[in-house]
Amino acid sequence: MLKNIKYKMICMAMAGLSLSACEDKLNIEPRGSISPDAVTPADTEVLLNGVYDGFRVELLRISTFLC
């Protein structure tokens, strides 16, 4: 009986440690991202132009491949 309780306590402690051990590693920003605090309303037009330019280049590659 005592052995069973001891086993359950060890399992619960290990589960608790495994769930809380990697919390700091989950809060990492991706390398290619921009912090929302760093973007101002004046920057949004430039950022959108970059996104649309990426789409345009990709569409040109696809259309060249299909022809």
Side-chain angles (χ1 to χ4, degrees):
M1 175 85 173
L2 186 59
K3 190 175 184 181
N4 193 14
I5 292 173
K6 195 175 192 181
Y7 178 73
K8 286 182 182 179
M9 293 291 280
I10 290 173
C11 287
M12 289 185 349
M14 294 296 286
L17 289 174
S18 68
L19 292 175
S20 65
C22 64
E23 184 177 336
D24 58 335
K25 296 183 186 217
L26 295 175
N27 294 329
I28 298 174
E29 283 193 37
R31 291 182 181 174
S33 70
I34 299 173
S35 171
D37 298 332
V39 178
T40 63
D43 296 331
T44 55
E45 184 176 353
V46 175
L47 292 171
L48 281 176
N49 285 340
V51 170
Y52 290 138
D53 186 50
F55 285 140
R56 183 182 60 83
V57 169
E58 189 63 30
L59 285 174
L60 286 174
R61 286 183 192 162
I62 291 171
S63 66
T64 305
F65 178 72
L66 293 176
C67 295

